[in-house]
Each structure stands twice: as structure tokens, then as C-alpha cells.
Amino acid sequence: MGGFSYKDIYIEDGRRVLEVNILPEKHCNFECIFCPIGRSQNKVDIQKSFDETGSSLIELENMIENTKAELIFINSKGEALVNDKIGDIVDFIKGKGLLVRLLSNGYLLGRDEYMKIANKCDEVVGELKVITEEDFQRIQRPIEGYTFVEYISNMVSFNKQYKGKFIFEITIINGYNDDEESIQKTKNVIKEISPDKIIVVRIEDERFKKKLGITDERFEEISNALLNI
Ligand code: SF4
């Protein structure tokens, strides 16, 4: 077995999508209180080498052949960009003539070395889960020195030069970004980033849903407000 793990293949917009996690354990530059992966000691934003990439690529090749995947979605246990082989992994998939979608929380997309890697992908997903500096620090607990302003400006700079499809995933969280003022601010961020597609989600994880989840009705209202600007 290699160091990657997979979800069952599914169809999205008529395409066969294979989701792959390229991190053996959680590595992220944030430590969100609601992280579905849990806690970790690996709060990093520089690349790290993981063993077994060679055998993992062979396994990936077999998975692609067996599942007849058309789009490979790199959705990892944390920030996939910190795997130092990510560039090679993307090249490997592109070399097979397949589409690549990369999920990132978005903070590192403004840094040159990571921007170059993300630029090779057909689709990049960036995220937004809070709307103030205070909440960013308090519930996303990023690496020291990170700021909310820089977070947004990193995604803005990335998308200004990106030729692929930038997907912006906004999570609505009870008590943090579900009030009218936050929705207005979120609309402004959307305008600044100018994504190709917006996805609005809410906290669904049973462990956090009671405190951080929102009602169906409110979710629908907010989704409509954000998707129709
Ligand atoms: S950005 Fe995602 S992976 Fe990283 S700590 Fe937050 S929820 Fe977990």
C-alpha cells in the first residue's frame, strides 16, 4: 500500500471523479476548531517529504485505470500543497490526459512557489469560513503571523493570474458569518476574488453541528443571497 487514500468514485456533471488524499496524516497551516480530520501537531506551511510517493503513483495509476476516472480531485488531510511531491503528482495526472482539481484552504495560493503548482491544475478550490480577523485567529487558529487580510488578498492575487476554474467554497457557521453584516462582507469578498463558481455549504459534521450548524431555512436564505450577486 502506498501513502495515498481514496474515496469511492462518483459522477459529477457527467464526469467520473476520483478523490485522492496525498497526505499520510493531517498537515495544515490552520488548526480549525471544527476540523473534521481532528487535531494535529503538524501545523506547517513549508513543504515536507513523505515516503512512498513512487509506489503511491503506481497505485494511483492503477486506481485511474480501474475506475476510468476523468477528473482527479486532490482533497487531502489538510493542505495538500505541503507535500513536496505535489507538483510531480499533478504532472503525472496531467500526463495521463486527465483533469485535476486541487482543494486548498487558499492561504498559500498567493505564494509564488505554490501559485505555480496550483496554476497547473484545471480547477482550484479556495475556502472561506469566517469573515473577521478576530474569528480567523480564534476559530481557524492559523500559523502565527497570518492575517485575514492576507488570506483574502492571497486568493485575489491567485485568481487574477489563474487561467483555470477557481471555485470558492463558503462555509456558513452559526454565530460567526450568518448575520446580515457578515453576509454583506462576504459578498464584498466574493466580488474581490471574482471566482468562476461559488459553493455555499454549512457544518454537517455531527460533532459540531449542534453548536455551529444553521437551520435549513436560514441556509437557503444565505445561499440565495450569496449565489445571486
Ligand atoms: S483548513 Fe481544513 S484541514 Fe486545515 S485545519 Fe481547517 S478544517 Fe482542518
Side-chain angles (χ1 to χ4, degrees), residues 48-108:
K48 194 170 157 178
S49 189
F50 299 98
D51 294 340
E52 301 179 344
T53 304
S55 60
S56 297
L57 286 180
I58 294 168
E59 190 187 73
L60 175 61
E61 187 166 34
N62 290 335
M63 285 296 288
I64 290 171
E65 275 167 24
N66 294 340
T67 59
K68 300 191 172 37
E70 295 163 289
L71 184 149
I72 309 301
F73 181 12
I74 302 175
N75 177 5
S76 293
K77 289 183 183 172
E79 179 50 80
L81 288 166
V82 304
N83 181 327
D84 71 346
K85 301 292 185 311
I86 182 147
D88 297 340
I89 296 166
V90 173
D91 289 342
F92 178 80
I93 301 165
K94 295 297 299 169
K96 301 210 144 289
L98 304 178
L99 298 170
V100 182
R101 176 187 297 155
L102 171 70
L103 174 71
S104 165
N105 60 35
Y107 204 99
L108 298 178

Side-chain angles (χ1 to χ4, degrees), residues 26-38 76-79 105 127 129 140 151:
K26 181 176 167 183
H27 285 76
C28 195
N29 47 350
F30 295 177
E31 181 74 74
C32 302
I33 59 165
F34 44 77
C35 181
I37 311 159
S76 293
K77 289 183 183 172
E79 179 50 80
N105 60 35
E127 300 181 316
K129 298 183 177 190
Q140 295 207 268
Y151 186 14

Side-chain angles (χ1 to χ4, degrees), residues 131 179-186:
I131 198 66
D179 58 290
E180 290 309 316
E181 192 190 340
S182 298
I183 292 158
Q184 194 48 54
K185 283 186 185 165
T186 304

Side-chain angles (χ1 to χ4, degrees), residues 108-169:
L108 298 178
L109 294 175
R111 296 194 186 165
D112 275 359
E113 66 274 29
Y114 295 122
M115 196 182 266
K116 278 188 194 131
I117 296 166
N119 279 343
K120 298 200 244 189
C121 301
D122 302 276
E123 300 179 4
V124 171
V125 185
E127 300 181 316
L128 186 77
K129 298 183 177 190
V130 293
I131 198 66
T132 67
E133 184 69 53
E134 193 191 347
D135 290 342
F136 179 54
Q137 301 299 339
R138 202 152 53 106
I139 72 165
Q140 295 207 268
R141 302 183 296 189
I143 285 180
E144 214 183 320
Y146 279 26
T147 66
F148 185 71
V149 172
E150 193 178 32
Y151 186 14
I152 302 306
S153 73
N154 281 345
M155 285 192 273
V156 171
S157 342
F158 173 71
N159 201 28
K160 268 201 180 128
Q161 56 80 60
Y162 181 49
K163 306 271 187 295
K165 180 174 178 179
F166 188 71
I167 302 166
F168 193 37
E169 186 182 289

